Amino acid sequence: MLPLYRDAKYTDVPTGDKQDLFDAVKSDMRYSHELYGCYECGICVAACPSARFYDFSPRVFAQTMAREDIHTFYELLNDSVWDCSQCFSCTCCPRQNNPGGIITIMREVAVNTGLQSAKDALRAYSRIIYKVMSTGTQVSPDMLQPDFFPDWGPDVRDVSLNLDVWRRAIPPETLHTVEMAWDVSEKTKLELYMIWKLTGNLEMIESVDEGLFMILEEVMEELLDEHGYDIDDYDCIVGD
Ligand code: SF4
Ligand code: SF4
């Protein structure tokens, strides 16, 4: 079967390689709850915010998987899979499909198998991943630098110069931070590190960005060590 796309980019990739990845998605324990066949009605497309801004369609994911079209699957796995905003509005499907859930599994397979396209797509997020995983909080105020947001005009420069003052003006004390979005207790950080270690998230990071993995492991080991834990005593539980 030819891929849906006339401008398919991966026609040289061996069919067996594509099939292995397709099988990896289908064998995921969540998969049978995400797809029950597709009417091709397009209701999911109407609900999908990404479809408004990109050449992207949740219907194509459902349709491709239902037809077992491994060539189109491979194109999606290396490209459109990163255009989904994971909002799950597509669960309005009258067939009870969850195209966003299929995409979640596809992303995990792309990352776990170290696809170059996944590494390229996620490279820009290294800084955010580092922030979230090392501090337990999301994008921090000190990331608000004029160089990163030139289109925001002179206000960003003014705010960045007096960031600590602005932050101290916020009523909750946990928000009086500049390097973190909010104060996270050591106990919470420890719990998060253990969750990321035991659920295989660190291994996923390693397959897309080894440098980031090494930095994160060092940060986590240090804190766990301080509290009497040895991270190597705990094995990843995914797949057990
Ligand atoms: S996934 Fe559901 S909503 Fe989308 S086209 Fe198929 S049947 Fe319709
Ligand atoms: S989860 Fe993805 S595919 Fe589904 S509606 Fe949201 S952006 Fe679209």
Side-chain angles (χ1 to χ4, degrees):
M1 185 189 291
L2 289 171
L4 279 178
Y5 298 112
R6 254 183 266 155
D7 55 349
K9 293 185 199 138
Y10 298 97
T11 48
D12 292 343
V13 175
T15 302
D17 292 357
K18 296 178 181 177
Q19 186 72 53
D20 288 348
L21 292 164
F22 183 81
D23 293 343
V25 172
K26 276 196 77 176
S27 63
D28 188 284
M29 63 187 292
R30 293 162 292 182
Y31 184 78
S32 60
H33 302 288
E34 312 294 35
L35 185 68
Y36 299 95
C38 178
Y39 299 139
E40 303 186 15
C41 62
I43 289 174
C44 55
V45 184
C48 174
S50 293
R52 290 185 207 168
F53 298 101
Y54 303 107
D55 182 11
F56 174 85
S57 164
R59 180 186 61 81
V60 170
F61 279 86
Q63 190 184 349
T64 299
M65 296 309 290
R67 290 181 179 182
E68 308 211 332
D69 172 0
I70 58 167
H71 297 291
T72 304
F73 159 81
Y74 195 79
E75 299 290 323
L76 296 172
L77 186 70
N78 281 278
D79 192 347
S80 293
V81 79
W82 300 108
D83 290 339
C84 168
S85 49
Q86 293 282 275
C87 66
F88 300 105
S89 305
C90 48
T91 51
C92 61
C93 166
R95 201 76 169 83
Q96 278 79 53
N97 294 331
N98 181 358
I102 296 169
I103 290 167
T104 307
I105 301 170
M106 288 174 70
R107 284 181 174 185
E108 289 178 13
V109 167
V111 168
N112 287 334
T113 52
L115 283 187
Q116 187 57 47
S117 56
K119 293 180 186 179
D120 293 344
L122 296 174
R123 189 167 297 124
Y125 297 97
S126 299
R127 205 158 163 253
I128 294 171
I129 294 170
Y130 172 75
K131 205 67 175 175
V132 171
M133 294 188 75
S134 64
T135 67
T137 68
Q138 50 171 309
V139 179
S140 63
D142 66 354
M143 291 166 90
L144 189 75
Q145 295 298 330
D147 293 348
F148 293 122
F149 303 99
D151 52 328
W152 284 13
D155 284 354
V156 175
R157 184 170 299 281
D158 292 346
V159 171
S160 70
L161 287 175
N162 298 295
L163 203 50
D164 54 332
V165 177
W166 288 105
R167 295 292 290 178
R168 273 184 275 121
I170 303 174
E173 284 184 16
T174 52
L175 299 181
H176 293 181
T177 61
V178 173
E179 293 171 353
M180 293 192 285
W182 60 86
D183 246 340
V184 173
S185 72
E186 297 245 305
K187 181 173 176 285
T188 303
K189 267 198 256 180
L190 273 171
E191 286 174 1
L192 286 170
Y193 290 176
M194 296 308 281
I195 290 168
W196 284 320
K197 171 73 181 171
L198 296 173
T199 55
N201 266 279
L202 276 182
E203 281 75 7
M204 285 179 87
I205 302 252
E206 186 177 17
S207 53
V208 287
D209 189 337
E210 205 171 340
L212 177 62
F213 164 77
M214 286 165 72
I215 296 169
L216 282 170
E217 203 176 48
E218 204 179 310
V219 170
M220 291 181 187
E221 261 177 27
E222 206 173 297
L223 187 72
L224 288 166
D225 203 36
E226 265 174 41
H227 291 266
Y229 296 98
D230 181 349
I231 202 163
D232 293 325
D233 289 344
Y234 301 90
D235 287 331
C236 168
I237 55 173
V238 173
D240 285 358

Short mmCIF file of all heavy atoms in Angstrom, two decimals, residues 44 47-51 56-58 61 83-91 98-101 103, ligand 2:
data_model
loop_
_atom_site.label_atom_id
_atom_site.label_comp_id
_atom_site.label_asym_id
_atom_site.label_seq_id
_atom_site.Cartn_x
_atom_site.Cartn_y
_atom_site.Cartn_z
N CYS A 44 -13.58 14.76 14.97
CA CYS A 44 -12.35 15.01 15.75
C CYS A 44 -11.56 16.17 15.15
O CYS A 44 -10.96 16.96 15.89
CB CYS A 44 -11.49 13.75 15.82
SG CYS A 44 -11.07 13.07 14.21
N ALA A 47 -12.90 19.47 16.21
CA ALA A 47 -12.64 19.81 17.62
C ALA A 47 -11.17 20.09 17.89
O ALA A 47 -10.82 20.62 18.94
CB ALA A 47 -13.09 18.64 18.50
N CYS A 48 -10.31 19.73 16.96
CA CYS A 48 -8.85 19.74 17.22
C CYS A 48 -8.23 21.13 17.01
O CYS A 48 -8.26 21.68 15.91
CB CYS A 48 -8.19 18.73 16.28
SG CYS A 48 -6.39 18.76 16.35
N PRO A 49 -7.62 21.71 18.06
CA PRO A 49 -6.99 23.03 17.88
C PRO A 49 -5.78 22.98 16.95
O PRO A 49 -5.53 23.93 16.20
CB PRO A 49 -6.58 23.44 19.30
CG PRO A 49 -6.55 22.18 20.09
CD PRO A 49 -7.52 21.23 19.45
N SER A 50 -5.03 21.88 16.98
CA SER A 50 -3.83 21.80 16.13
C SER A 50 -4.20 21.77 14.65
O SER A 50 -3.46 22.27 13.80
CB SER A 50 -3.00 20.56 16.47
OG SER A 50 -2.45 20.69 17.75
N ALA A 51 -5.39 21.20 14.35
CA ALA A 51 -5.82 21.12 12.94
C ALA A 51 -6.08 22.51 12.36
O ALA A 51 -6.07 22.69 11.15
CB ALA A 51 -7.07 20.25 12.83
N PHE A 56 -2.51 19.13 9.80
CA PHE A 56 -2.58 18.07 10.81
C PHE A 56 -4.02 17.60 10.97
O PHE A 56 -4.93 18.42 10.93
CB PHE A 56 -2.09 18.65 12.15
CG PHE A 56 -2.24 17.72 13.31
CD1 PHE A 56 -1.26 16.77 13.58
CD2 PHE A 56 -3.36 17.78 14.14
CE1 PHE A 56 -1.41 15.90 14.65
CE2 PHE A 56 -3.50 16.92 15.21
CZ PHE A 56 -2.52 15.98 15.46
N SER A 57 -4.19 16.29 11.16
CA SER A 57 -5.55 15.78 11.28
C SER A 57 -5.60 14.54 12.18
O SER A 57 -4.97 13.53 11.86
CB SER A 57 -6.09 15.41 9.90
OG SER A 57 -7.23 14.59 10.03
N PRO A 58 -6.34 14.60 13.29
CA PRO A 58 -6.49 13.40 14.11
C PRO A 58 -7.20 12.27 13.36
O PRO A 58 -6.96 11.09 13.61
CB PRO A 58 -7.32 13.88 15.31
CG PRO A 58 -7.88 15.21 14.94
CD PRO A 58 -6.99 15.78 13.89
N PHE A 61 -4.74 10.00 11.70
CA PHE A 61 -4.13 9.03 12.63
C PHE A 61 -5.04 7.82 12.83
O PHE A 61 -4.61 6.68 12.73
CB PHE A 61 -3.83 9.71 13.97
CG PHE A 61 -2.56 10.51 13.97
CD1 PHE A 61 -2.57 11.82 13.54
CD2 PHE A 61 -1.35 9.95 14.36
CE1 PHE A 61 -1.40 12.58 13.52
CE2 PHE A 61 -0.17 10.69 14.34
CZ PHE A 61 -0.20 12.01 13.91
N ASP A 83 2.87 17.57 16.24
CA ASP A 83 2.01 18.76 16.09
C ASP A 83 0.80 18.71 17.03
O ASP A 83 0.04 19.68 17.10
CB ASP A 83 1.50 18.88 14.65
CG ASP A 83 2.63 19.25 13.69
OD1 ASP A 83 3.64 19.79 14.16
OD2 ASP A 83 2.50 18.97 12.48
N CYS A 84 0.59 17.61 17.70
CA CYS A 84 -0.58 17.46 18.60
C CYS A 84 -0.31 18.18 19.91
O CYS A 84 0.79 18.10 20.46
CB CYS A 84 -0.80 15.97 18.84
SG CYS A 84 -1.94 15.60 20.17
N SER A 85 -1.31 18.90 20.42
CA SER A 85 -1.11 19.59 21.69
C SER A 85 -1.63 18.78 22.88
O SER A 85 -1.68 19.27 23.99
CB SER A 85 -1.76 20.98 21.65
OG SER A 85 -3.07 20.87 21.16
N GLN A 86 -2.00 17.53 22.64
CA GLN A 86 -2.41 16.62 23.71
C GLN A 86 -3.52 17.19 24.60
O GLN A 86 -3.48 17.08 25.82
CB GLN A 86 -1.19 16.22 24.56
CG GLN A 86 -0.16 15.38 23.79
CD GLN A 86 -0.56 13.91 23.65
OE1 GLN A 86 -0.32 13.11 24.53
NE2 GLN A 86 -1.20 13.56 22.52
N CYS A 87 -4.50 17.82 23.96
CA CYS A 87 -5.61 18.40 24.72
C CYS A 87 -6.76 17.40 24.87
O CYS A 87 -7.63 17.55 25.70
CB CYS A 87 -6.11 19.64 24.00
SG CYS A 87 -6.86 19.27 22.40
N PHE A 88 -6.79 16.39 24.01
CA PHE A 88 -7.79 15.32 24.01
C PHE A 88 -9.21 15.79 23.71
O PHE A 88 -10.18 15.14 24.09
CB PHE A 88 -7.72 14.50 25.31
CG PHE A 88 -6.36 13.87 25.47
CD1 PHE A 88 -5.44 14.37 26.37
CD2 PHE A 88 -5.98 12.80 24.67
CE1 PHE A 88 -4.17 13.83 26.47
CE2 PHE A 88 -4.71 12.24 24.77
CZ PHE A 88 -3.81 12.76 25.68
N SER A 89 -9.33 16.92 23.02
CA SER A 89 -10.66 17.34 22.56
C SER A 89 -11.21 16.31 21.57
O SER A 89 -12.42 16.20 21.38
CB SER A 89 -10.57 18.69 21.85
OG SER A 89 -9.99 19.64 22.68
N CYS A 90 -10.32 15.57 20.92
CA CYS A 90 -10.74 14.59 19.91
C CYS A 90 -11.48 13.40 20.52
O CYS A 90 -12.03 12.57 19.79
CB CYS A 90 -9.56 14.12 19.09
SG CYS A 90 -8.14 13.65 20.09
N THR A 91 -11.52 13.31 21.85
CA THR A 91 -12.27 12.21 22.47
C THR A 91 -13.78 12.41 22.31
O THR A 91 -14.57 11.61 22.78
CB THR A 91 -11.92 12.06 23.97
OG1 THR A 91 -12.04 13.34 24.58
CG2 THR A 91 -10.51 11.54 24.16
N ASN A 98 -9.77 7.66 20.57
CA ASN A 98 -8.97 8.69 21.21
C ASN A 98 -7.71 8.91 20.37
O ASN A 98 -6.64 8.39 20.69
CB ASN A 98 -8.61 8.26 22.64
CG ASN A 98 -7.79 9.30 23.37
OD1 ASN A 98 -7.46 10.34 22.81
ND2 ASN A 98 -7.44 9.01 24.61
N PRO A 99 -7.82 9.68 19.27
CA PRO A 99 -6.64 9.90 18.43
C PRO A 99 -5.46 10.49 19.22
O PRO A 99 -4.31 10.13 19.00
CB PRO A 99 -7.14 10.87 17.36
CG PRO A 99 -8.61 10.64 17.30
CD PRO A 99 -9.02 10.31 18.70
N GLY A 100 -5.76 11.39 20.17
CA GLY A 100 -4.69 11.97 21.00
C GLY A 100 -3.97 10.89 21.81
O GLY A 100 -2.77 10.96 22.01
N GLY A 101 -4.72 9.88 22.24
CA GLY A 101 -4.12 8.77 23.00
C GLY A 101 -3.24 7.91 22.09
O GLY A 101 -2.18 7.43 22.52
N ILE A 103 -1.65 9.06 19.60
CA ILE A 103 -0.47 9.89 19.39
C ILE A 103 0.47 9.82 20.59
O ILE A 103 1.70 9.76 20.44
CB ILE A 103 -0.90 11.34 19.07
CG1 ILE A 103 -1.54 11.38 17.69
CG2 ILE A 103 0.28 12.31 19.16
CD1 ILE A 103 -2.28 12.66 17.35
S1 SF4 B 2 -5.24 15.62 21.52
FE1 SF4 B 2 -4.10 16.23 19.68
S2 SF4 B 2 -5.27 15.33 18.01
FE2 SF4 B 2 -6.63 15.37 19.79
S3 SF4 B 2 -7.76 17.29 19.63
FE3 SF4 B 2 -5.98 17.69 20.91
S4 SF4 B 2 -4.40 18.43 19.50
FE4 SF4 B 2 -5.98 17.44 18.26
#
